[in-house]
Structures are given as structure tokens and as C-alpha cells.
Amino acid sequence: MRDQLRAAHLALTFLTTLPLPHITEIRDGDFARASAYYPLAGYAVGGAVSLLLWLPVPLPGGVIAALGVGAWLLLTGMLHFDGLVDSADALFAMKTPAERLVILQDVHVGAFGLATGGLSLLLLWSLLSAPIPPLAPLVAAVAARTLLLIPMNTYPAARAESLGARSREGRTWAALLIAAPTLLIPGAWVAWVAALAAALLTAAFSARRLGGGLNGDTYGLIVVTAELAALTALAWGR
């Protein structure tokens, strides 16, 4: 039980900026165990954004949506957004898979990353401005972080000693169990199907461009695309 509480704690401190004490000593298998609790981060991030959109704040809808985008980025520490931007620079480059892996390590942002990042933020703002169900951000955030475990545990790590490699082999069934309550929300299953399709397609494209494996940046890319797909499905259903 203590190991599982430690894993849940690590998942929250790794995937969110919640003011929790950080674990100073990381043991073998800690990140793999923590991946089963990724949905908890989805509840925290998506729940906060849902609450912000639901509150009767006397501001225009576009401003509230912008605050929602800011809260999403703040609560995740831009972790997944950074992965999206870095992945775009590498995956869209006309290079060999080995050269794309080198680009993933470059801290500078190129045109592909800038354009993809800007488009994703514009799309997120548009979706949060749309008449989506109140709990749509919660469903999207939980589904994306849960479904990430499928490609994470299906494809090999692009780099054997990376943090992404250490996060693999988590218990997908446990993550699904934690995320299951979101399926009780009306229309949530449509969002889950859309998020699953987006996650699998993004993972397949990324692995092909990187020579067969995935890394931490592409995990972030998968989370963002799955979130946007889930929100789009919920907006479409309205």
C-alpha cells in the first residue's frame, strides 16, 4: 500500500504543478508504477478547468476560455505542450529517423513547433469557448492520460535510458479502473473513442518517423492530441 501511495504521489508531482512535496529519492520501478495513476493528474487538471468554466464569472466567454487555456498550461507546467512543440519540430522535418531523434534533444523551437503549438492553443481556446458539457475538460484530461499507457507500453522506447523508458510497463488496467467513473458522465464514451483513435494514430505516426520507438516528447504529443480529439467530439455532440 505504501508503494502505491508513493506511486500516486509521484504521478501527481510529475504531471502537475500542484503544491505537493516532491519525492527526493527515486527507486527502480517508481516511474513505471506511477504511470498507473496518471488519471489522477487528469482529474486534477481537467477538474480545475471544468470548475473555472462552470463558475458564474462576469466575463465574456472568450476571456473565460483564455483563462481556461492558461490554467491548463499552468497546472501541467506546460509538460505536454512542450512535448507537442518538440515533437512537431522533429517529426515534420525531412530528415532520417536518427536525425529526428537528435532534433528532439534541441531546446530551440523551430517553425514546425511554433506553428503546431500555436494551432493547438487556438483550437483549445475555440473548444473551451464552444458550448461544451461542463465536465468536458475533466473527461478529456482523464481519458488522454489513461489511454497514453496503451502506446507507451506497446511501442519500445526510442532511448533505452530515458525517463520515458523508465515510465513504461505500468498497469494499464489499474489506470482504466481509476478513470472508469468518467464514463458515467453523459456522452463521455464518444470522447473516449475519439481520444483512443487520436492516441493510436499519433503514436503510429510518431513511431514510424522515429524508427519504431517513442520518447517522452511524443508521449506529450499523444496526450495533447487525445485531449483535443476528446473535446472536439464532445463539442460536436452538442
Side-chain angles (χ1 to χ4, degrees):
M1 178 61 72
R2 182 176 297 179
D3 283 344
Q4 297 309 311
L5 290 175
R6 175 186 174 89
H9 186 174
L10 180 58
L12 287 172
T13 56
F14 178 48
L15 296 184
T16 75
T17 57
L18 294 176
L20 298 172
H22 283 264
I23 297 175
T24 56
E25 180 185 357
I26 303 298
R27 301 192 295 256
D28 288 343
D30 276 352
F31 277 106
R33 282 187 290 270
S35 65
Y37 295 95
Y38 284 0
L40 295 181
Y43 281 111
V45 174
V49 176
S50 291
L51 179 62
L52 177 62
L53 298 182
W54 175 81
L55 288 174
V57 180
L59 291 171
V63 175
I64 296 175
L67 293 175
V69 173
W72 211 309
L73 295 174
L74 175 65
L75 289 169
T76 59
M78 300 195 189
L79 177 67
H80 309 305
F81 180 75
D82 180 70
L84 168 85
V85 171
D86 289 345
S87 295
D89 274 333
L91 298 179
F92 294 137
M94 299 302 291
K95 304 288 183 178
T96 66
E99 290 172 324
R100 293 189 185 108
L101 287 173
V102 174
I103 294 174
L104 282 173
Q105 295 180 297
D106 191 345
V107 298
H108 299 94
V109 178
F112 290 127
L114 181 62
T116 303
L119 180 61
S120 71
L121 293 179
L122 179 59
L123 181 56
L124 178 58
W125 177 83
S126 299
L127 289 167
L128 295 184
S129 301
I132 56 177
L135 294 178
L138 184 146
V139 173
V142 172
R145 285 156 184 77
T146 304
L147 295 170
L148 170 64
L149 269 69
I150 297 176
M152 179 186 288
N153 295 330
T154 300
Y155 293 91
R159 292 191 179 89
E161 301 302 323
S162 65
L163 181 58
R166 294 163 61 191
S167 301
R168 298 179 67 253
E169 300 181 2
R171 297 174 300 166
T172 305
W173 65 266
L176 289 170
L177 186 62
I178 295 171
T182 63
L183 291 172
L184 300 176
I185 299 172
W189 68 272
V190 177
W192 273 82
V193 171
L196 176 61
L200 295 180
L201 289 173
T202 303
F205 172 75
S206 300
R208 181 177 180 181
R209 300 289 282 179
L210 295 178
L214 300 175
N215 77 332
D217 285 324
T218 53
Y219 295 160
L221 169 66
I222 291 168
V223 168
V224 174
T225 54
E227 286 175 336
L228 293 175
L231 288 172
T232 300
L234 289 168
W236 187 278
R238 301 291 285 190

